[in-house]
Amino acid sequence: MNAGSDGAGADFAGRYSAIDRLLHRAAFAGLGVQRGVADLEDKLYAADFAGVALDRPVFVTALPRAGTTLLLELLTATGEFTTHTYRRMPFVLCPLLWWRLSRGFAKAEAPSERAHGDGMAVSPDSVEAFEEVVWRAFWPDHYGAERIRPWDPAEVDPDGEFEAFFANHLRKIVALGDRAADAPAGRRYVSKNNANIARLGLLARLFPDARILVPVRAPGAHVASLRRQHTNFLALHGREPFARRYMEWIGHLEFGEALRPIDFGGWLDAAPATARDPSGPDFWLSYWCAAYEAALAAPADAVSFVSYDRLRAAPKEGLATLAEVVGLARPAALTALSDRFRAPTAGDGEATATDGDPALLRQAADLHARLLDRAVI
């Protein structure tokens, strides 16, 4: 059985057997069932995670295509952090119980290129973004049919259960990571979750000692990449409907037929007509500006902006700074990974003035300059 690979490569559906698909449908048919199983897990395995300290968790977030996956992989490669992997799927809310049930049929798989077609290879043991499943389980009212409503920093779960559940979930992930034979003591939680950009203030309130990293790319290149991925996923979802359902189940509502943009400040209704079509650049330029304006308003002492372009231009120096920002015990473990940065590809070219409304391009350029002024790298 495929224990959770995310449809890497072009043949998304081919990576899932009929049993895999049935298991995913059962797991996500009602997240309330998973929540109930997680409550049972709390009682059965409390000793496994109750003593785990949530020491300075790190949340990596931004609009997609900003370098969040690479930052996650770099941080986990230091050995000081742990996070979700593809093997956590599909029972994300009860990871300890699922680990015990699935380890008997887990099998090794060679890495292959993920569905984005960006050269990044994944396997069932690769780290990935599954934290959003927890948020979907507790905050369904934020997920509309066409958009996601951002979280207020003071917002409280109506049922009063989320904060305790989320903290325990992080402890469980750390406890699972520490089971590895080469795991150092006291590893920390790190996640990549693009949708966390909609709840920066809330995360800062829930975890006062957390560090939130928000990578920033030059808007021209970033918007070009967003448009390209949206087109790619429209094609993927058109030929493989299971891929769309999969993305909706895990809360990756970023591209293709699954797209549900985050409505920062009500920008979707305020945008001009030319900015309401995701196939055009003005939609993504407007989205970029709304997202990063909201990020700039988040608590400055909790959020660190990271220029992906500066990091790629001088990776060793940038990673040294990043190691200091997140408080690594062994900074050299991160700077040693500087060769992971590749030169820009031909497809990463900057959008030009003809690719979008000139006023929007100027707005994005001004916002980018302000973000760089605040960036730690």
Side-chain angles (χ1 to χ4, degrees), residues 12-361:
F12 188 103
R15 298 182 64 87
Y16 289 85
S17 68
I19 294 177
D20 290 327
R21 295 185 184 206
L22 179 62
L23 192 62
H24 280 70
R25 289 189 180 96
F28 290 104
L31 288 177
V33 175
Q34 281 206 47
R35 284 177 58 176
V37 175
D39 289 340
L40 175 63
E41 178 182 72
D42 288 351
K43 296 179 175 64
L44 292 175
Y45 305 115
D48 288 13
F49 67 88
V52 173
L54 289 182
D55 177 30
R56 297 164 296 149
V58 174
F59 299 93
V60 181
T61 185
L63 288 187
R65 312 304 300 161
T68 50
T69 297
L70 181 56
L71 285 181
L72 176 71
E73 292 183 351
L74 291 170
L75 290 172
T76 53
T78 66
E80 295 192 28
F81 296 93
T82 190
T83 189
H84 301 82
T85 70
Y86 287 101
R87 292 198 189 275
R88 306 287 177 260
M89 284 288 287
F91 294 97
V92 177
L93 302 188
C94 36
L96 291 173
L97 184 58
W98 177 236
W99 174 76
R100 283 172 168 80
L101 292 174
S102 65
R103 58 182 173 173
F105 55 77
K107 60 183 180 181
E109 290 185 22
S112 58
E113 188 176 14
R114 64 179 186 167
H116 300 68
D118 55 6
M120 299 195 77
V122 296
S123 76
D125 294 308
S126 296
V127 296
E128 229 328 339
F130 296 127
E131 185 189 273
E132 190 63 12
V133 176
V134 183
W135 292 89
R136 284 188 56 236
F138 282 86
W139 305 88
D141 291 347
H142 277 262
Y143 299 86
E146 298 179 349
R147 65 191 71 188
I148 298 171
R149 178 169 56 87
W151 281 250
D152 185 277
E155 197 162 355
V156 177
D157 168 34
D159 296 330
E161 299 177 8
F162 172 75
E163 292 188 23
F165 186 100
F166 193 41
N168 279 342
H169 181 75
L170 270 57
R171 291 187 180 96
K172 292 174 184 178
I173 297 299
V174 173
L176 275 174
D178 285 348
R179 290 180 180 276
D182 59 347
R187 290 212 289 185
R188 295 159 58 189
Y189 177 83
V190 62
S191 76
K192 167 220 166 181
N193 184 355
N194 295 126
N196 272 342
I197 196 172
R199 50 183 87 102
L200 299 177
L202 179 56
L203 285 172
R205 178 174 68 80
L206 295 177
F207 303 98
D209 65 343
R211 177 51 58 192
I212 304 171
L213 303 178
V214 180
V216 179
R217 284 180 73 182
H222 197 171
V223 164
S225 185
L226 289 165
R227 287 181 68 194
R228 186 165 57 251
Q229 287 304 315
H230 179 61
T231 300
N232 290 345
F233 276 96
L234 279 174
L236 175 63
H237 295 162
R239 69 178 182 266
E240 297 181 357
F242 179 75
R244 172 183 177 172
R245 290 194 293 272
Y246 182 97
M247 291 181 70
E248 290 173 337
W249 286 333
I250 64 176
H252 286 201
L253 308 174
E254 301 152 335
F255 298 117
E257 294 178 5
L259 175 65
R260 275 184 260 175
I262 301 167
D263 194 17
F264 297 99
W267 76 271
L268 282 165
D269 291 332
T274 59
R276 300 187 185 190
D277 178 8
S279 67
D282 289 354
F283 174 90
W284 297 103
L285 278 166
S286 297
Y287 194 7
W288 192 94
C289 290
Y292 283 100
E293 283 286 5
L296 272 175
D301 58 342
V303 176
S304 294
F305 294 100
V306 176
S307 169
Y308 181 72
D309 303 293
R310 290 175 178 171
L311 193 53
R312 188 160 57 170
K316 192 165 187 178
E317 295 82 355
L319 290 177
T321 300
L322 186 62
E324 182 178 355
V325 168
V326 301
L328 284 185
R330 299 178 302 281
L334 188 60
T335 56
L337 302 171
S338 59
D339 61 354
R340 291 287 306 277
F341 288 84
R342 62 175 175 82
T345 64
D348 289 331
E350 293 283 340
T352 65
T354 59
D355 292 318
D357 179 84
L360 276 174
L361 288 165

